[in-house]
Amino acid sequence: MVILKNMILEADILITCDAQNTIIKDAAVFVSDGLIADLGQRERIHKDYSADKVIEGENRILLPGLINTHSHSVQTFLRGKADDHTLLDWLRQVVLPGEANFTPEEVYSSSLLGFAEMIRTGTTTTNDMLTSHNSDYGIKAAVESGIRTRIGKMLMDVDNDFPDIIKEDTETVIETARKQIDQYHQTQDGRIKYSLNPRFLLSCSPKLMNLIVETQHDYEDLMIHTHASESQSECIEVKKMYNDSYIRALKNLKALGSETILAHGIWLNKEEFEIIQKTNTRITHNPSSNCKLASGICDVVKYHELGVLVGIGTDGPPCNNNFDMFRDMRLAAFLQKVKHLNEQALPASKVLQMATIDGARAINWDKEIGSIELGKRADMIMIDIDQVNAMPLYDPVSHLIYSSSGKDVSLTMINGKIVYHDGHFKTIDFNKIKVATQKYQDKWEL
Ligand SMILES: [Zn+2]
């Protein structure tokens, strides 16, 4: 790949997602050394800078890259293999055996396919959980794809009717995680950060949870990312195992705080909501997954009233079955309107904020990403509005949330590098992934 030192990206409409929600028409952004070096009127930017490359922006909206706060890239090969189950059956019958039986090559290709889909549909950063085994191959895929990510192996040491093969002993889990932290955390120009991913309390002993918290304290900027209070039956099982409500159990384990993000957070009592607020714990709302697994509807409005940071996640392909954040942004807005019977419950502008700057805040990365502002990393996407679904276009934010899809993304830039443009991946050999995917699919069809 040719490395360009600087570039100008033009756009008919630039949506910055800064604190003032600035939108600039006939705009351009000057990118230098991977950073946003200037932005403003197209004419002025061209007058002030000469760039190695200019990306024309006719019929294009330019906005910050989307931030997916909860994904399982490695589950992509299981897309369509676990439909119409509830959470625990879905896990025990399909997802865990599937993950457990992946070869190292399958972990790599399945993750890479997931990252390709994210990049293709406008996600520039993801908060990702891998498998217990062979997770180095998933991190390798993240490194090669060019995506920005917090990522780590799945941590679990309790079988709880889960397949034996996926269980590791407590010490091995932590030893492997620590080795991976030393190898990958804050590497690739800061694009890759490790994360500690206990799957959920049902698969983690108190001893493992204590070791995870201890490990987190030994490193800077290392987040805990786990599932919590997703389904009612899960909460009942956690109560039996930990003799406490889910969130209180996590609090007693000292696993909550501003460096923890909980996926789902649906079934909470009043006290648990207050614990989330007081500890400044972050939530990732995953609307498609919650609908498909019939888990429930997260009360995003309530979290916002409490000042809790909430990002939007897709979750994995077996429960979504897609990494297109545009689908989840739209559904996030719709679900709150229905839940609260209030059309203003979650307006389009707030949803866009959740998928950009709030997502960045929720994963403690907002100093560098989440908006198009001077000095931030150049993580941006372009939307093609020369399309039937973009006509007429009165309000670009309304278009993005209610009418667009990931297929409208024409360009994805991460860290100042174009990773996808007009149908072409720049970092990923898509034909190679196709062959690997077919090979895996053939195994099921034998
Ligand atoms: Zn998940």
Side-chain angles (χ1 to χ4, degrees):
M1 194 168 60
V2 186
I3 308 286
L4 298 166
K5 244 186 121 41
N6 57 49
M7 213 181 297
I8 289 174
L9 278 79
E10 301 176 345
D12 282 354
I13 304 165
L14 168 65
I15 299 178
T16 63
C17 295
D18 66 5
Q20 293 74 39
N21 287 321
T22 307
I23 294 179
I24 306 172
K25 286 192 175 161
D26 295 322
V29 177
F30 180 60
V31 174
S32 180
D33 284 331
L35 299 175
I36 294 162
D38 204 349
L39 66 147
Q41 291 296 323
R42 188 180 340 216
E43 220 172 286
R44 181 185 69 75
I45 295 292
H46 277 294
K47 209 167 84 196
D48 289 356
Y49 305 97
S50 67
D52 296 336
K53 188 179 173 85
V54 175
I55 307 283
E56 289 181 6
E58 195 184 346
N59 288 314
R60 296 289 184 272
I61 298 176
L62 186 62
L63 71 151
L66 302 176
I67 296 175
N68 183 343
T69 47
H70 181 63
S71 66
H72 300 256
S73 60
V74 72
Q75 293 176 357
T76 312
F77 275 1
L78 301 171
R79 185 197 326 264
K81 263 289 157 202
D83 294 339
D84 309 328
H85 288 283
T86 55
L87 174 70
L88 295 177
D89 289 345
W90 173 89
L91 265 174
R92 286 174 174 137
Q93 290 172 24
V94 187
V95 174
L96 290 174
E99 280 186 14
N101 289 306
F102 279 150
T103 64
E105 177 52 37
E106 286 162 355
V107 168
Y108 169 79
S109 300
S110 184
S111 303
L112 194 57
L113 178 61
F115 296 131
E117 188 183 353
M118 292 182 206
I119 284 169
R120 169 66 188 90
T121 53
T123 292
T124 52
T125 297
T126 193
N127 191 37
D128 200 68
M129 289 181 168
L130 292 168
T131 39
S132 305
H133 296 81
N134 303 315
S135 50
D136 291 85
Y137 293 87
I139 299 174
K140 181 175 181 272
V143 169
E144 288 179 14
S145 72
I147 201 151
R148 185 184 301 283
T149 182
R150 287 192 184 270
I151 192 167
K153 82 185 237 83
M154 194 65 93
L155 312 176
M156 47 198 292
D157 68 338
V158 172
D159 53 15
N160 227 327
D161 297 335
F162 302 140
D164 263 358
I165 186 173
I166 207 152
K167 196 187 79 171
E168 295 173 301
D169 68 78
T170 315
E171 280 70 26
T172 308
V173 175
I174 286 296
E175 241 169 66
T176 315
R178 280 187 177 266
K179 229 168 93 187
Q180 290 186 333
I181 295 167
D182 293 336
Q183 195 175 347
Y184 304 114
H185 188 45
Q186 294 175 325
T187 59
Q188 303 293 317
D189 197 20
R191 182 168 61 78
I192 305 287
K193 297 186 192 223
Y194 197 76
S195 67
L196 292 163
N197 302 334
R199 186 184 282 271
F200 64 161
L201 282 184
L202 289 185
S203 64
C204 299
S205 66
K207 187 182 170 196
L208 176 61
M209 289 304 295
N210 289 334
L211 286 168
I212 289 169
V213 171
E214 212 178 285
T215 304
Q216 184 187 33
H217 292 156
D218 286 345
Y219 296 86
E220 284 286 310
D221 194 18
L222 183 63
M223 288 192 76
I224 291 176
H225 174 199
T226 186
H227 301 94
S229 300
E230 179 175 357
S231 76
Q232 285 174 302
S233 50
E234 172 207 13
C235 292
I236 291 166
E237 289 200 27
V238 166
K239 189 143 193 147
K240 277 189 216 149
M241 185 176 161
Y242 277 82
N243 198 27
D244 216 335
S245 67
Y246 209 129
I247 303 300
R248 217 163 52 186
L250 283 169
K251 183 186 168 227
N252 292 340
L253 290 161
K254 298 188 171 53
L256 299 180
S258 61
E259 292 200 299
T260 295
I261 184 161
L262 304 180
H264 309 298
I266 297 170
W267 297 100
L268 275 68
N269 61 34
K270 191 168 176 285
E271 184 204 3
E272 290 178 293
F273 272 111
E274 283 166 12
I275 293 172
I276 298 291
Q277 180 190 31
K278 279 187 191 139
T279 53
N280 196 12
T281 300
R282 283 79 202 281
I283 299 289
T284 164
H285 171 42
N286 315 294
S288 296
S289 165
N290 297 161
C291 287
K292 186 160 181 261
L293 294 172
S295 299
I297 304 177
C298 172
D299 198 342
V300 175
V301 170
K302 184 160 191 158
Y303 282 123
H304 283 159
E305 282 167 4
L306 294 172
V308 175
L309 281 168
V310 185
I312 296 176
T314 57
D315 216 340
C319 64
N320 184 317
N321 300 358
N322 204 287
F323 281 122
D324 182 348
M325 280 284 286
F326 287 87
R327 292 160 55 134
D328 281 274
M329 290 195 291
R330 185 175 194 261
L331 187 57
F334 288 177
L335 282 181
Q336 294 307 302
K337 292 174 201 294
V338 171
K339 182 176 175 68
H340 295 275
L341 295 178
N342 175 2
E343 72 285 359
Q344 293 291 322
L346 201 56
S349 55
K350 184 61 189 169
V351 177
L352 182 62
Q353 191 182 326
M354 287 173 73
T356 54
I357 188 66
D358 274 8
R361 288 190 188 114
I363 57 167
N364 296 318
W365 219 327
D366 53 300
K367 283 194 178 70
E368 292 189 285
I369 55 167
S371 59
I372 300 181
E373 292 182 85
L374 282 185
K376 281 203 171 179
R377 299 277 181 172
D379 286 13
M380 299 184 278
I381 58 171
M382 270 184 173
I383 306 296
D384 181 0
I385 47 174
D386 190 20
Q387 298 290 336
V388 282
N389 62 319
M391 294 172 204
L393 200 153
Y394 302 111
D395 173 355
V397 175
S398 159
H399 172 63
L400 292 175
I401 302 304
Y402 296 130
S403 179
S404 296
S405 81
K407 286 186 181 149
D408 295 328
V409 172
S410 65
L411 178 139
T412 305
M413 169 181 276
I414 303 171
N415 230 11
K417 291 191 182 103
I418 294 171
V419 289
Y420 173 83
H421 193 190
D422 286 342
H424 300 286
F425 290 99
K426 307 290 180 183
T427 47
I428 293 169
D429 184 341
F430 188 53
N431 283 326
K432 232 166 110 180
I433 306 183
K434 269 166 56 179
V435 171
T437 307
Q438 188 61 51
K439 202 170 145 198
Y440 182 78
Q441 189 176 328
D442 290 346
K443 272 168 71 167
W444 285 85
E445 284 167 2
L446 278 177

